[in-house]
Amino acid sequence: MEGLKTKLKSLAAQYAEEVVNVRRHLHANPELSNQEYKTSEYIADILKDLNIPFKAGVFKTGIVALIEGKKPDKNVVALRADMDALPIKEKSEKNYCSKNDGIMHACGHDVHMASLIGTLKILNELKDEFEGTVKIIFQPAEEKSPGGAKFMIQEGALENPEPSVIFGQHVYPELDAGKIGMKPGKYMASTDEIELVIKGKGGHAAMPYALIDPVVIGSQIIVSLQQLVSRKSHFNTPTVLSFGQFIADGTYNVIPDEVRIKGTFRTFDEEWRAKALEMIENMSKSIAKGAGAECEVVIGHGYPYLVNDDEITAKAFANAVEFLGEENVVKLDLRATGEDFAYFAQAIPACFYRLGVRNIEKGINAHLHTPGFDVDESSLETGMGLMAWLALKELAQK
Ligand code: NI
């Protein structure tokens, strides 16, 4: 495999400039979730130019392409990139700054797509040299629940042929460009949205005895619900409950009729998740009822938690070390952010890893989902080469 490694690295270096331009085009032309039409057409044109067979419209703008090596039925490995951008106004002087006002690739999905295009170019070039098939998945709407992954799977993205493994990568501004990070097992959290509406009786703040004060009741509910985290969640199952909105639109001397509260519940166990959501509803309602008020509870179910297959991820870690060197492959911690790649990981063994994009010397270290987010574009060469390597190593095993 030493020869293959050298070949992959030189192909990645050869395609780097072209792939940077692909990334810049995608970055300058971002589209929101479920509206990735031009993005989808742009990818389809690249696939046509390369004579790679593909199916467009696999859930709206989704694309599934196949690169068949020799003995294409022998084994199938899938690779996935997400396509959508965020409703954020970009702040950048760069010539590839977003041309679509108020829309920005602030989560690096432009990098995921460009890197995957680099990977498919490499694999297409080498298709006479490997056995099996690589299935390439471009997925819309990761940023907006219910997401695109679930629907692409429903529309057959993982059938005909059926992959035995799927890989996905995500940019990671906490890690330097040139490095990648992985974690076997549970990696990212389930995410649910919670909205509480407490209906009391407002009036003059000087006469609370004549009112049912939803502000005090709402405050009490928020504090009481933290018992779920401190008293009810098992210490093996990290749990986050955060409330970021509390609207009590009265004033100095006015208590409002109602209070609206919004928050998020995140954890790493489906049974506990279901139980906790039920407890949130019951506690909120009974605290409000005890105080003479009413509480409406609306729960928006988000993505499940994401599990990386232990065996696949251990192998991928070792393969990444072989490709990038030990110093460039790091172990990651649990993260309480969510990702709809979790649906792929529920369906087949999966490995979702992080691509370092930080460069402190160049001042590239802004967080994801911020107006100044950018990447060190040398990460594209790392990303496309590594993903091709992981796919070929996996195919070569059977
Ligand atoms: Ni993202």
Side-chain angles (χ1 to χ4, degrees):
M1 294 297 263
E2 198 55 37
L4 179 65
K5 186 168 92 178
T6 313
K7 205 175 263 181
L8 284 187
K9 288 203 167 185
S10 81
L11 284 172
Q14 188 186 319
Y15 293 137
E17 194 185 327
E18 188 184 336
V19 169
V20 164
N21 288 332
V22 168
R23 183 258 164 171
R24 290 183 180 188
H25 172 86
L26 292 167
H27 191 85
N29 297 279
E31 294 175 292
L32 292 174
S33 313
N34 296 308
Q35 296 171 26
E36 310 88 344
Y37 296 102
K38 288 183 180 160
T39 304
S40 184
E41 274 170 32
Y42 178 76
I43 293 169
D45 284 343
I46 292 175
L47 293 167
K48 279 179 209 158
D49 280 349
L50 293 167
N51 276 322
I52 294 174
F54 69 95
K55 201 173 156 195
V58 184
F59 183 60
K60 298 183 184 174
T61 58
I63 289 180
V64 179
L66 292 179
I67 299 173
E68 296 187 334
K70 292 176 294 179
K71 299 187 193 164
D73 300 333
K74 197 174 167 200
N75 191 10
V76 182
V77 170
L79 309 175
R80 171 271 202 180
D82 41 11
M83 302 163 76
D84 52 332
L86 287 158
I88 291 176
K89 189 174 169 56
E90 181 164 18
K91 265 191 209 151
S92 169
E93 304 288 303
K94 306 257 169 62
N95 60 9
Y96 53 86
C97 180
S98 171
K99 289 191 252 175
N100 298 340
D101 195 33
I103 305 176
M104 177 189 174
H105 270 299
C107 197
H109 299 188
D110 53 336
V111 175
H112 308 162
M113 287 184 279
S115 172
L116 187 52
I117 286 165
T119 300
L120 71 83
K121 284 177 73 77
I122 293 171
L123 294 173
N124 195 46
E125 179 96 24
L126 298 175
K127 67 184 171 193
D128 296 330
E129 296 180 39
F130 67 85
E131 293 182 346
T133 296
V134 181
K135 183 175 242 185
I136 308 273
I137 298 174
F138 291 96
Q139 179 221 303
E142 190 282 324
E143 295 288 357
K144 198 171 175 195
S145 180
K150 186 165 123 181
F151 299 106
M152 280 195 91
I153 295 167
Q154 279 173 15
E155 293 192 16
L158 296 181
E159 293 156 34
N160 299 322
E162 195 182 323
S164 58
V165 178
I166 186 165
F167 292 100
Q169 67 176 348
H170 201 292
V171 298
Y172 195 47
E174 284 88 348
L175 194 64
D176 289 337
K179 295 179 189 274
I180 67 116
M182 281 187 192
K183 182 187 179 306
K186 293 177 180 183
Y187 175 44
M188 294 174 77
S190 59
T191 54
D192 296 304
E193 292 176 344
I194 296 156
E195 184 177 5
L196 309 173
V197 183
I198 294 133
K199 296 180 172 172
K201 183 171 173 254
H204 203 300
M207 289 165 276
Y209 46 83
L211 311 175
I212 298 168
D213 184 348
V215 180
V216 171
I217 297 165
S219 310
Q220 195 182 347
I221 288 173
I222 285 185
V223 172
S224 299
L225 288 180
Q226 288 304 325
Q227 289 174 44
L228 280 175
V229 182
S230 65
R231 304 285 79 189
K232 294 292 179 190
S233 75
H234 193 278
F235 50 76
N236 283 338
T237 306
T239 298
V240 173
L241 178 63
S242 296
F243 290 97
Q245 189 185 82
F246 188 110
I247 299 178
D249 200 15
T251 185
Y252 300 110
N253 53 1
V254 177
I255 288 169
D257 280 326
E258 67 173 39
V259 161
R260 292 182 164 266
I261 298 171
K262 283 183 180 170
T264 181
F265 179 79
R266 291 159 188 251
T267 191
F268 298 84
D269 180 288
E270 291 303 323
E271 207 178 310
W272 159 239
R273 176 189 181 191
K275 193 173 151 196
L277 291 173
E278 204 181 304
M279 287 169 81
I280 287 172
E281 178 159 2
N282 290 341
M283 272 176 92
S284 303
K285 286 188 165 166
S286 59
I287 290 167
K289 194 174 171 212
E294 247 182 70
C295 181
E296 265 176 36
V297 180
V298 183
I299 291 174
H301 294 273
Y303 303 149
Y305 73 96
L306 190 156
V307 187
N308 282 327
D309 184 87
D310 282 328
E311 196 192 324
I312 297 298
T313 308
K315 271 193 288 178
F317 193 95
N319 290 336
V321 166
E322 196 183 339
F323 193 70
L324 299 173
E326 206 165 350
E327 68 284 7
N328 290 321
V329 184
V330 304
K331 288 181 182 159
L332 297 176
D333 283 332
L334 271 183
R335 253 178 100 84
T337 53
E339 166 60 66
D340 78 342
F341 185 83
Y343 287 111
F344 290 116
Q346 280 186 338
I348 56 174
C351 173
F352 190 71
Y353 60 91
R354 295 277 167 174
L355 179 68
V357 293
R358 180 177 64 184
N359 188 325
I360 289 173
E361 276 172 27
K362 291 187 190 162
I364 302 170
N365 63 347
H367 290 297
L368 292 173
H369 294 212
T370 62
F373 177 73
D374 201 359
V375 302
D376 181 333
E377 288 172 322
S378 72
S379 60
L380 284 157
E381 192 178 321
T382 310
M384 66 171 130
L386 177 68
M387 207 176 234
W389 173 251
L390 294 178
L392 292 185
K393 288 288 266 192
E394 193 57 45
L395 285 177
Q397 285 212 324
K398 291 208 176 168

